[in-house]
Amino acid sequence: GVTSDILERIKSESARILVNIAKLLAFIVLVNHLLACCWFAVGTADAERSWVVTHAMSVEKFDYKYLTALHWSITQFTPASMEVFPTNSLERVFSVCVILLAMVLFSSFVSTITNAMNQLRNLNEERYKQMAMLRRYFIENKVS
């Protein structure tokens, strides 16, 4: 794919790690977008009792509806909270499923980011050791 071609052209290991982190972030954003769309669809399934009705979304503009659903989706992945919550059984079931999915995805995300940061730290540590050895050589051999 496109990202594989980009990664093949990148010579810096640090840049490769950062591109992989960016890919992961893009994936998380895509998942949250899809979940937001599904959450809004679930909210419109019941015309009498739903989060869409409770928060009078019918009078809001499209961007506010989308951003509210996206906000809800993102909060399922983090310890954050918001005023939108399930108000019927379908919404509750969907919410529970999303929370279970979010636990798996977010823990994998944190693990991958931690691993990438450790890789960056190791790369920098090796570079630091080489520079320290070079400085020591210059000092010991009186090179200026």
Side-chain angles (χ1 to χ4, degrees), residues 28-90:
I28 294 291
V29 168
L30 175 65
V31 167
N32 275 281
H33 164 74
L34 294 173
L35 290 173
C37 293
C38 291
W39 175 243
F40 189 79
V42 167
T44 57
D46 186 338
E48 294 179 19
R49 186 171 158 214
S50 72
W51 74 268
V52 172
V53 173
T54 301
H55 294 282
M57 288 292 155
S58 60
V59 299
E60 298 294 344
K61 291 183 179 178
F62 174 79
D63 59 340
Y64 184 78
K65 293 175 188 179
Y66 174 74
L67 290 172
T68 301
L70 183 63
H71 184 185
W72 176 87
S73 176
I74 291 170
T75 60
Q76 304 313 297
F77 282 73
T78 65
S81 64
M82 74 171 302
E83 70 279 2
V84 172
F85 50 87
T87 59
N88 62 42
S89 295
L90 179 61

